[in-house]
Structure formats: C-alpha cells, structure tokens
Amino acid sequence: MSDIDSEQDELMGLLMAIAHEDRQAFQRLYQRISGRMFGLCLKLASQRDLAEEAVQDAFVQIWHNAGEYHNERGAPLSWMLTIARYRTLDIMRNRKSRPTSGDAHLERVADEREGPLDESLRIAGSAELRGCLDELSETQRDSILLSYYRGFTHDELSEALSSPIGTVKSWIRRGLMALKRCLER
C-alpha cells in the first residue's frame, strides 16, 4: 500500500469517527490537514484573514457533513480541500475581495507542502499531464491554471490577462481540448 493510500484510509477513518461526533478524531483531522488547507486558502485569497476564516468555515462544514462523505465523492482529502476552496471563493465574492499582492509575494508566504495542483498532477500521472501542459501556449496554460487552481472567474481572468472575455474563454476551451487530445495519445 502506498503512502497516499494509507493517508486516504486514515482520513476516511477519521471522517467516519467525526460522523459519530468524535471530537478527538476531529482534532487529529485538523492537525493532519489544516496546514495544507490553509496553504490552499491563502494561495486563493492572498489574504491571511480570509484564508483563516475559510479554513475555520471549512472545518465547521466538515464536522457537520462528515457523515455525508462517501468514496464516490472522490478521495477524502480532495473532498475536504474542495470544501475549503469553495468556502474561500465564497468569502472572497461576499467581500468583493481580490488578490492584492503579486505572485512573488505569494511564494514567500505560501505553505511549502505539496499543494492541490502538485498532488493532483502526481496522482493523475504528473509526467504526462505536465508534458501536455508544457505543449500549450503560455496564454492557454495560464488561463487554465488560474481558472482551475486559483479559482478565477472568466471576468477576473479577462482583467488579469488584459484580454477580452471571449478570447479568454477560447483560450480555456482550446487549451482543454488540446490537453484532452494529448492525454489520450
């Protein structure tokens, strides 16, 4: 059994215990994943207070909904990080907050552990996916990564890339089609 499988099994066991309101299991889960979750939220929000709020909200949601998790929803860690991602995006939209610092600043404050992009690339055949991403144009690659891993909307992408929204949508659509073709080879 790989380290990933054993971690997922451990997280699944913790979620099952949390579904029965086991506070110690909840504490162990928090200690196990809060750092990665905070790193993800901070990368998305670029603001420590928003990231902290999103992590807290995500754990409250996990506590209340642990019994609803099942394997069909994906790996336990992915399910929980998705909750955190959506909470972060919701908080940002509610506050109409936008990232205010450049990527260089994010690299200094970001959690050094593996992020969701790295993890999903590793799990999903990173060599192939990285190779296919490298084949895309810079604008296609940036559009896809900002959209899927930073949570940018089409409007935000349009503004960030200084391009019309229709062009941004085309970059994403064509880039995803190229990725699909590349991965099917």
Side-chain angles (χ1 to χ4, degrees):
M1 183 183 299
S2 72
D3 289 342
I4 295 170
D5 292 335
S6 64
E7 179 185 42
Q8 295 300 329
D9 289 344
E10 178 188 355
L11 294 176
M12 180 64 165
L14 290 172
L15 281 174
M16 289 172 26
I18 293 166
H20 293 98
E21 299 183 358
D22 182 334
R23 291 178 185 269
Q24 289 181 335
F26 187 70
Q27 183 178 8
R28 285 194 309 273
L29 179 75
Y30 182 85
Q31 290 170 343
R32 190 88 168 96
I33 69 163
S34 63
R36 281 183 271 186
M37 187 178 285
F38 179 73
L40 168 68
C41 296
L42 186 59
K43 283 181 183 179
L44 287 171
S46 302
Q47 296 177 19
R48 188 173 194 82
D49 64 324
L50 293 182
E52 289 170 351
E53 182 179 346
V55 169
Q56 180 179 346
D57 289 355
F59 274 104
V60 168
Q61 195 170 344
I62 290 167
W63 172 261
H64 290 294
N65 298 308
E68 296 175 17
Y69 171 79
H70 23 118
N71 288 333
E72 296 81 41
R73 291 189 169 193
L77 182 60
S78 298
W79 179 71
M80 291 183 281
L81 291 178
T82 299
I83 290 171
R85 178 180 184 273
Y86 284 115
R87 280 305 306 138
T88 304
L89 295 175
D90 287 345
I91 291 168
M92 289 171 63
R93 286 185 191 112
N94 287 341
R95 292 191 185 181
K96 295 195 181 344
S97 172
R98 298 294 179 258
T100 58
S101 55
D103 286 342
H105 173 71
L106 288 178
E107 291 305 315
R108 288 194 307 272
V109 297
D111 190 337
E112 293 299 319
R113 288 178 277 193
E114 187 174 75
L117 172 60
D118 299 318
E119 182 177 353
S120 60
L121 288 175
R122 182 175 38 77
I123 292 170
S126 69
E128 295 87 355
L129 189 52
R130 284 183 195 273
C132 291
L133 281 169
D134 288 342
E135 290 180 18
L136 298 177
S137 72
E138 185 176 336
T139 53
Q140 288 174 332
R141 184 177 45 253
D142 289 349
S143 298
I144 290 170
L145 293 177
L146 288 171
S147 175
Y148 285 90
Y149 292 100
R150 292 285 307 272
F152 280 36
T153 64
H154 289 128
D155 288 332
E156 291 168 333
L157 280 171
S158 174
E159 185 177 322
L161 300 173
S162 301
S163 298
I165 194 164
T167 303
V168 170
K169 288 180 179 181
S170 294
W171 288 337
I172 293 172
R173 183 174 42 78
R174 290 182 185 139
L176 290 174
M177 290 179 350
L179 279 177
K180 182 179 177 185
R181 281 191 307 272
C182 179
L183 291 170
E184 290 175 346
R185 286 190 253 156

